């Protein structure tokens, strides 16, 4: 759990680069968790199927927020390494040191990009889910004239 | 070519350098020929003609006998050739130590499970070879006789199919090279016995007699099986002797990892010679366990050494229980007299000459194990003697001609076990052989009488038949003399020597000495009874006036040649077979078994050599015994002749004194079985029925159903149908997984 908290409060590299990231990762993740919790509570407590769908959307978006937050953090770290590499080149540092900094920059860029791609995926999946879910709900409403889950219990024994 | 064949059939041509390899491979023909006869008669039962059916069956038996004879001679001749070649100058000595080269043919692996291995293999040594010759030889004669005796029966082919199947099973029993194969034959002969006793199955009594035989044998077979299991636990193998190299080669070809047992059960006891280093033998004083090398057995690692010996003793005891069932010993004897419900040739072959001696054969086969446990040996001797005297006493008052012979068979089997218990295994086998001849002869003679008397079996309605059936009379007289132990007939040689050994043991066995004396006394009384009831049978059947009704009397005739030829052949053997006593007594290890006579060489000492003390002692014992047994046999014969020939006494079958009543009612042992044992079983069965209803039906079967229903009723409230509830389940599950992932 400690490792998890550390990640929330400070970026990677033990906080060495924390000041350079430029935004507060911890607040973004806290917001994500709050939205997720609200969504989960909605799914459990709401009896209106439409509201449950909306809650699911909330949870999806909370997860997406977490993804892009971490991606942003990684992009910041990558920018710092790129700047450090440029500075080292200007100062005439050994080639190995410059190459190491460039490699780290590349790694952080790539891993940061995957978070953003996941964000896009989630938008697509959420849209599809909303379309199918709403279609089912509308169809159901036409047959039964209700959107209350308490009336949708025909599958019990 | 040969090499390729050898690759294809690993067991085939395994020892090309060996002189009698080809004969060895022919061993399998001995059981397979009767099997072929069985298949032909069984499947062509509807279409085959009567003549062809009998011819096929008889020919199958005769050819099996021919092959057996060839193989046996190959064993004997081979060893002599080898001896002359290898040990020129020492021929005599070597021939005496091992005058027989055993054959061991391996045809494949049958079971190979977890280090335990059973083979299809046939093993012919002196013991199994002799038994094979007796089984096929007597079997052939009885097949021939049956073609005449069963001539009027409508299920002719079925009869011969059963008879051939019996020969197959019996030969498998005798020739099998391991206990499992022997057990297959053991069960097979039991099945054929059942089928043939109940051959005329439309008669309820006869069908019931078949079932009785089967049930009594089941009791014994259970003991036999448990004995096999015990031996597997002890030795880890069921082979009598180590399988030939071919078995090991085949294992490699088949890529079976189980290592072949390096030794057979008897190999572990191979160095028991019952002769101490000084060359002196003391009866009953052998501590076999001390001379036993048990390293390498499976049980050695499991059992402590003291329990090891106990385990072997237990196995012997259990195996002997099997022998009790098969060989009709007390208390499992009761099926054999009832087995006379079958056709008379069957009584001769199965219930006198061969199958019932399977127990004796098995004990002799495993003699090396029985030698480990003197107390089990003593038990064997006790049971044998008790059976001998018990059955002989019952035989005194029977009026059915076949029942007399049946009780006589039970009694003689008792003698065989007495011999085995005394350690004289080769004598037990000697008695098996001579008994096979004269008892088969007597049964076939009785069959001839019954055939001539229009299926009458009651001796009270016979009499005076010697004029009508001269061949049957003379041959049966010879058989009766042999059974009674008249000097120089076959039975005299075997039975008297058994009693002589028992008398010798009463002097030489320090731990059981006086017991042996008691057994000897009982054996003598049984011998007297034997002589008496045998000549009672002869007197009532062949002498005096004919007591049959007019219709039967007009029909009395001598039997046809197919029936008299076996009678004459067997009579010749009953007269002369005893003269092979020399082979049984003089060679130190005839039949590959140590005998108590090892040191009592009956040959007169060579000129100039003084007889040893042991020899002197044996001669003394033998002479004393000779006096007593001759007295018993001649006394019994004389008394029977006086009562039943001179005075013409005919028993009424009722009344009489206490003894005759007891004897006629078989000492109420069968009534005890009927009343007490059967009812106890029925009571037990009722009890089990109640237990079945309460425990199995109610508690287990219904209980499981009820418990399932209750559990379902309790759990189905979870299925609310409310989607939010299920979503909560998903969430809780996800949290649990997350918790485990992060904290582990």
């Amino acid at each position: 759990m400690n490792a998890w908290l550390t990640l929330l409060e400070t970026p990677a590299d033990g906080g060495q680069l924390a000041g350079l990231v430029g935004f507060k990762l911890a607040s973004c993740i806290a917001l994500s968790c709050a939205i997720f919790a609200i969504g989960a509570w909605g799914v459990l407590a709401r009896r209106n199927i439409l509201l449950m769908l909306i809650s699911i959307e909330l949870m999806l978006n909370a997860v997406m927020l977490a993804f892009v937050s971490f991606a942003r953090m990684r992009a910041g770290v990558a920018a710092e390494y790129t700047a450090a590499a440029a500075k080292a080149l200007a100062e005439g540092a050994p080639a190995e040191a410059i190459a190491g900094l460039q490699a780290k920059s590349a790694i952080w860029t790539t891993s940061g990009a995957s978070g953003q791609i996941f964000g896009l995926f989630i938008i697509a999946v959420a849209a599809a889910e909303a379309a199918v879910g709403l279609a089912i709900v509308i169809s159901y409403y036409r047959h039964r004239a209700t959107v209350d889950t308490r009336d949708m219990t025909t599958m019990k024994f | 070519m040969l090499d390729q064949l050898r690759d294809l059939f690993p067991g085939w041509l395994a020892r090309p350098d060996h002189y009698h390899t080809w004969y060895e491979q022919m061993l399998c023909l001995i059981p397979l020929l009767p099997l072929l006869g069985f298949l032909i008669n069984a499947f062509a039962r509807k279409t085959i003609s009567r003549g062809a059916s009998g011819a096929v069956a008889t020919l199958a038996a005769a050819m099996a006998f021919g092959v057996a004879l060839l193989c046996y001679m190959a064993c004997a001749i081979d060893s002599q050739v080898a001896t002359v070649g290898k040990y020129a100058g020492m021929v005599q000595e070597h021939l005496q130590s091992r005058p027989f080269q055993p054959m061991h043919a391996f045809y494949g692996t049958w079971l190979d499970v977890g280090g335990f291995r059973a083979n299809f293999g046939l093993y012919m040594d002196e013991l199994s070879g002799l038994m094979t010759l007796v089984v096929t030889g007597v079997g052939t004669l009885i097949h021939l006789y049956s073609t005449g005796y069963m001539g009027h029966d409508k299920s002719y082919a079925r009869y011969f199919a059963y008879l051939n199947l019996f020969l197959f099973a019996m030969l498998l029993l005798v020739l099998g090279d391991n206990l499992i194969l022997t057990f297959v034959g053991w069960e097979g002969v039991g099945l054929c016995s059942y089928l043939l006793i109940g051959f005329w199955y439309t008669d309820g009594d006869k069908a019931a007699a078949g079932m009785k035989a089967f049930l009594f044998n089941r009791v014994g077979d259970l003991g036999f099986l448990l004995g096999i299991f015990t031996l597997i636990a002890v030795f880890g193998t069921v082979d009598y002797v180590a399988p030939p190299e071919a078995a090991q080669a085949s294992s490699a070809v088949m890529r079976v990892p189980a290592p072949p047992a390096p030794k057979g059960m008897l190999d572990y006891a191979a160095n028991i010679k019952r002769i101490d280093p000084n060359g002196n033998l003391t009866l009953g004083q052998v501590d076999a366990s001390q001379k036993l090398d048990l390293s390498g057995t499976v049980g050695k690692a499991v059992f402590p050494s003291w329990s090891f010996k106990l385990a072997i003793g237990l196995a012997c005891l259990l195996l002997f229980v099997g022998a009790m069932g098969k060989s009709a010993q007390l208390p499992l004897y009761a099926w054999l007299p009832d087995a006379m419900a079958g056709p008379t040739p069957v009584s001769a072959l199965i219930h006198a000459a061969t199958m019932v001696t399977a127990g004796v054969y098995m004990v002799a086969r495993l003699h090396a194990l029985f030698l480990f446990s003197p107390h089990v040996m003593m038990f064997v001797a006790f049971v044998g003697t008790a059976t001998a005297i018990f059955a002989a006493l019952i035989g005194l008052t029977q009026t059915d001609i076949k029942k007399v012979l049946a009780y006589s068979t039970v009694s003689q089997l008792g003698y065989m076990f007495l011999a085995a218990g005394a350690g004289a295994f080769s004598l037990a086998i000697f008695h098996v052989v001579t008994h096979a001849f004269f008892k088969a002869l007597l049964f076939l003679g009785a069959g001839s009488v019954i055939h001539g008397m229009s299926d009458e079996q009651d001796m009270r309605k016979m009499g005076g038949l010697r004029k009508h059936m001269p061949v049957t009379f003379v041959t049966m007289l010879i058989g009766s003399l042999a059974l009674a132990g008249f000097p120089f007939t076959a039975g005299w040689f075997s039975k008297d020597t058994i009693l002589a050994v028992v008398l010798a043991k009463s002097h030489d066995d320090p731990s059981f000495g006086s017991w042996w004396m008691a057994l000897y006394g009982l054996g003598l009384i049984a011998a007297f009874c034997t002589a008496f009831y045998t000549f009672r049978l002869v007197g009532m059947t062949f002498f005096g006036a004919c007591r049959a009704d007019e219709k039967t009397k007009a029909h009395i005739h001598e039997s046809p040649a197919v029936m008299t030829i076996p009678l004459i052949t067997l009579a010749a053997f009953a007269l002369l077979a005893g003269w092979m006593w020399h082979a049984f007594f003089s060679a130190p290890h005839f039949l590959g078994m140590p005998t108590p006579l090892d040191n009592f060489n009956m040959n007169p000492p060579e000129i100039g050599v003084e007889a040893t003390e042991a020899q002197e002692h044996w001669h003394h014992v033998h002479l004393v015994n000779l006096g007593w047994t001759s007295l018993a046999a001649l006394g019994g014969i004389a008394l029977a002749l006086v009562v039943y020939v001179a005075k013409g006494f005919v028993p009424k079958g009722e009344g009489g004194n206490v003894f005759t009543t007891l004897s006629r009612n078989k000492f109420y042992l069968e009534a005890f079985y009927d009343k007490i044992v059967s009812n106890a079983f029925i009571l037990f069965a009722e009890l089990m029925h109640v237990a079945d209803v309460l425990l199995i039906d109610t508690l287990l079967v219904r209980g499981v159903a009820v418990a399932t229903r209750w559990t379902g009723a309790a759990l189905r409230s979870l299925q609310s149908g409310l989607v939010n509830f299920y979503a909560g389940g998903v969430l809780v599950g996800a949290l649990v997984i997350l918790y485990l992932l992060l904290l582990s």
Side-chain angles (χ1 to χ4, degrees):
Chain A
M1 191 61 83
N2 284 337
W4 190 241
L5 286 175
T6 314
L7 190 63
L8 281 180
E9 285 161 359
T10 55
D13 276 20
Q16 195 184 350
L17 299 165
L20 306 170
V21 172
F23 84 112
K24 195 78 177 169
L25 178 64
S27 2
C28 289
I29 298 302
L31 178 63
S32 166
C33 286
I35 297 173
F36 189 89
I38 292 166
W41 178 81
V43 169
L44 294 188
R46 286 293 176 172
R47 294 292 180 261
N48 189 319
I49 193 88
L50 278 169
L51 289 176
M52 282 179 72
L53 275 175
I54 290 168
S55 303
I56 290 170
E57 290 296 320
L58 275 181
M59 286 159 76
L60 280 167
N61 283 309
V63 171
M64 187 175 67
L65 181 60
F67 270 118
V68 295
S69 305
F70 283 115
R72 173 68 187 84
M73 179 268 284
R74 282 164 182 274
V77 174
E80 284 307 317
Y81 277 119
T82 313
K87 191 180 168 196
L89 188 64
E91 288 170 359
E96 295 85 30
I98 298 166
L101 287 169
Q102 282 173 339
K104 280 195 170 177
S105 164
I107 290 169
W108 282 93
T109 309
T110 323
S111 58
S114 61
Q116 305 221 15
I117 292 164
F118 265 108
L120 287 172
F121 265 114
I122 289 172
I123 289 170
V125 169
E129 180 257 323
V132 175
L134 281 173
I136 293 172
V137 169
I138 289 166
S139 173
Y140 191 87
Y141 180 78
R142 282 181 180 162
H143 279 92
R144 299 287 168 88
T146 178
V147 287
D148 194 320
T149 56
R150 277 166 298 192
D151 301 328
M152 300 180 180
T153 55
T154 48
M155 287 296 279
K156 76 175 176 183
F157 79 95
Chain B
M1 178 66 185
L2 284 184
D3 286 338
Q4 284 153 357
L5 267 182
R6 205 170 296 145
D7 288 345
L8 278 174
F9 306 102
W12 205 259
L13 305 175
R15 286 190 284 172
D17 56 327
H18 208 281
Y19 178 79
H20 59 224
T21 304
W22 285 106
Y23 287 109
E24 204 163 80
Q25 300 309 323
M26 272 166 67
L27 269 183
C28 67
L29 286 181
I30 302 174
L32 286 184
L33 282 168
L35 182 66
L36 190 68
F38 158 71
L39 290 175
I40 291 173
N41 265 330
F43 287 102
R45 186 163 54 90
K46 295 266 168 63
T47 51
I48 197 167
S49 75
R50 295 172 82 85
S53 169
V56 163
T58 313
L59 213 61
M63 281 164 71
F65 176 66
V67 176
L69 202 59
L70 277 177
C71 290
Y72 192 83
M73 283 162 69
C75 290
I77 292 169
D78 177 50
S79 73
Q80 293 187 17
V81 169
T83 308
V84 172
K86 286 180 193 163
Y87 303 100
M90 301 164 57
V91 175
Q92 194 59 37
E93 195 182 339
H94 187 69
L95 277 182
Q96 273 212 334
S97 65
R98 189 79 177 169
F100 199 93
Q101 186 75 36
M103 287 181 178
H104 196 167
F106 170 79
Y107 299 106
T109 302
W110 177 17
L111 295 172
D112 196 344
V113 185
F116 169 73
R117 188 122 172 261
N119 296 329
F120 285 115
L122 299 180
Y123 182 64
M124 183 189 258
D125 62 354
E126 300 97 317
L127 177 58
S128 56
L130 190 68
M131 279 298 278
T132 308
L133 286 179
V134 170
V135 169
T136 51
V138 177
T140 305
L141 290 175
I142 288 170
H143 275 73
L144 185 64
Y145 178 95
S146 297
T147 56
Y149 186 85
M150 299 297 285
H152 309 308
D153 202 275
K154 60 182 196 303
S155 304
Y156 201 65
R158 184 165 65 92
Y159 173 82
F160 280 109
Y162 289 164
L163 218 53
N164 266 345
L165 184 63
F166 165 77
L167 267 192
F168 164 69
M170 188 70 203
L171 290 168
L172 202 62
L173 190 163
V174 171
L175 284 173
D177 78 338
N178 59 66
L179 256 182
I180 304 259
L181 215 51
T182 295
F183 185 68
V184 172
W186 186 275
E187 292 295 311
V189 292
L191 170 71
C192 295
S193 162
Y194 159 76
L195 290 172
L196 284 164
I197 295 168
F199 181 72
W200 291 304
Y201 53 84
T202 46
D203 182 338
D205 287 347
K206 291 177 174 171
M211 276 188 265
K212 185 175 180 181
F214 207 75
L215 285 176
F216 269 91
N217 271 299
R218 295 314 308 164
V219 177
D221 291 347
L222 180 66
F224 194 106
L225 257 186
L226 293 175
I228 293 177
F229 295 154
T230 315
L231 284 181
I232 290 174
V234 171
F235 290 111
T237 177
V238 284
D239 293 325
Y240 295 130
V241 293
E245 307 85 70
Q248 291 155 33
S250 121
S251 180
V253 168
M254 293 160 67
R255 297 198 191 122
V256 175
K263 282 178 167 182
M265 292 185 294
L266 301 188
D267 294 331
Y268 287 106
N271 49 358
I272 299 181
K273 290 286 188 266
R274 293 171 71 83
I275 300 174
D276 68 18
N278 301 327
N280 293 319
L281 177 139
T282 40
L283 296 175
Q285 285 182 324
V286 174
D287 187 5
S289 63
Q290 303 216 330
K291 296 179 181 173
L292 186 68
D293 177 20
L294 289 168
S295 56
T297 57
V298 168
K300 187 72 179 169
V302 183
F303 300 101
S305 51
W306 59 269
S307 72
F308 203 82
K309 202 176 158 193
L310 270 185
I312 295 178
L314 177 70
C316 289
L317 194 62
L318 290 167
L319 289 170
F320 180 61
V321 171
M324 279 166 153
K326 193 62 82 193
S327 296
Q329 296 298 291
L330 279 176
L332 300 178
Y333 82 98
W335 65 272
L336 187 54
D338 283 14
M340 298 302 130
T344 305
V346 168
S347 308
L349 179 61
I350 301 184
H351 304 119
T354 54
M355 184 192 86
V356 288
T357 60
V360 186
Y361 169 77
M362 188 268 293
V363 171
R365 177 88 279 172
L366 297 174
H367 69 276
L369 303 181
F370 279 84
L371 283 174
F372 287 122
S373 26
H375 290 86
V376 175
M377 297 265 287
M378 200 62 211
F379 178 68
V380 172
F382 271 125
V383 170
T385 316
T387 310
I389 183 84
F390 181 81
L393 288 176
I394 295 176
L396 292 176
T397 56
Q398 295 301 307
T399 51
D400 184 320
I401 185 167
K402 286 181 73 181
K403 285 279 166 81
V404 176
L405 294 175
Y407 281 106
S408 160
T409 304
V410 176
S411 174
Q412 298 302 308
L413 288 165
Y415 274 114
M416 296 168 200
F417 281 110
L418 172 60
F425 297 101
S426 63
L427 281 183
I429 295 298
F430 186 35
H431 199 48
V432 166
V433 174
T434 57
H435 176 259
F437 291 135
F438 63 70
K439 191 52 68 65
L441 167 63
L442 284 171
F443 265 115
L444 293 188
S448 177
V449 167
I450 294 165
H451 197 66
M453 293 289 293
S454 311
D455 293 340
E456 180 59 60
Q457 300 197 6
D458 194 334
M459 294 194 296
R460 286 171 296 180
K461 295 180 183 163
M462 297 176 183
L465 293 181
R466 72 179 186 282
K467 298 177 203 105
H468 302 285
M469 312 174 83
V471 180
T472 307
F473 167 63
V474 173
T475 50
M476 270 196 87
L477 190 65
I478 292 170
S480 303
L481 287 171
L483 174 57
F486 193 79
F488 304 110
T489 56
W492 178 73
F493 283 103
S494 52
K495 192 163 62 180
D496 282 15
T497 321
I498 289 172
L499 288 173
V501 167
V502 175
L503 187 60
K505 287 210 78 149
S506 70
H507 294 294
D508 294 332
D509 187 343
S511 39
F512 299 110
S514 45
W515 286 108
W516 288 113
M517 198 43 122
L519 295 188
Y520 180 72
L522 289 173
L524 266 186
I525 297 171
F528 174 81
C529 295
T530 307
F532 183 82
Y533 66 63
T534 311
F535 276 83
R536 172 176 175 271
L537 183 151
V538 172
M540 286 178 72
T541 312
F542 292 104
F543 290 89
C546 187
R547 296 179 291 275
D549 55 34
E550 289 307 318
K551 192 176 162 218
T552 313
K553 208 184 272 183
H555 191 252
I556 298 175
H557 60 280
E558 181 58 280
S559 299
V562 284
M563 289 168 70
T564 50
I565 288 170
L567 285 179
I568 295 165
T569 317
L570 285 170
F573 276 109
L575 261 187
L576 302 175
W579 292 101
M580 62 175 161
W581 62 272
H582 189 270
F584 286 86
F585 300 159
S586 58
H589 286 86
F590 187 70
L591 298 176
M593 291 182 277
T595 76
L597 301 179
D598 282 352
N599 229 28
F600 301 137
N601 193 335
M602 286 193 50
N603 294 324
E606 290 168 39
I607 300 162
V609 179
E610 237 174 90
T612 64
E613 198 182 329
Q615 278 173 331
E616 295 277 8
H617 174 58
W618 168 250
H619 279 289
H620 173 69
V621 163
H622 202 244
L623 277 178
V624 170
N625 171 63
L626 205 61
W628 282 109
T629 49
S630 303
L631 195 67
L634 297 177
I637 294 173
L639 189 62
L641 289 179
V642 166
V643 174
Y644 293 97
V645 178
K647 294 198 173 177
F649 177 72
V650 178
K652 289 185 290 292
E654 57 187 18
N657 57 23
V658 178
F659 171 73
T660 43
T661 314
L662 269 181
S663 169
R664 196 164 46 239
N665 291 301
K666 301 146 196 170
F667 296 90
Y668 296 100
L669 188 62
E670 287 195 53
F672 169 77
Y673 284 149
D674 278 351
K675 295 276 178 330
I676 312 290
V677 179
S678 300
N679 284 336
F681 259 101
I682 290 168
L683 197 69
F684 183 67
E686 293 288 346
L687 201 69
M688 284 299 110
H689 177 65
V690 173
D692 178 49
V693 167
L694 285 182
L695 189 73
I696 308 290
D697 280 3
T698 308
L699 189 66
L700 292 181
V701 177
R702 281 158 199 260
V704 166
V706 168
T708 312
R709 198 162 63 224
W710 285 351
T711 318
L715 286 178
R716 74 182 168 197
S717 64
L718 285 178
Q719 196 184 357
S720 63
L722 191 64
V723 69
N724 308 75
F725 183 75
Y726 301 151
V730 172
L731 190 73
V732 169
L735 284 177
V736 167
I737 290 171
L738 200 65
Y739 177 80
L740 291 176
L741 279 179
L742 291 180
L743 271 197
S744 62

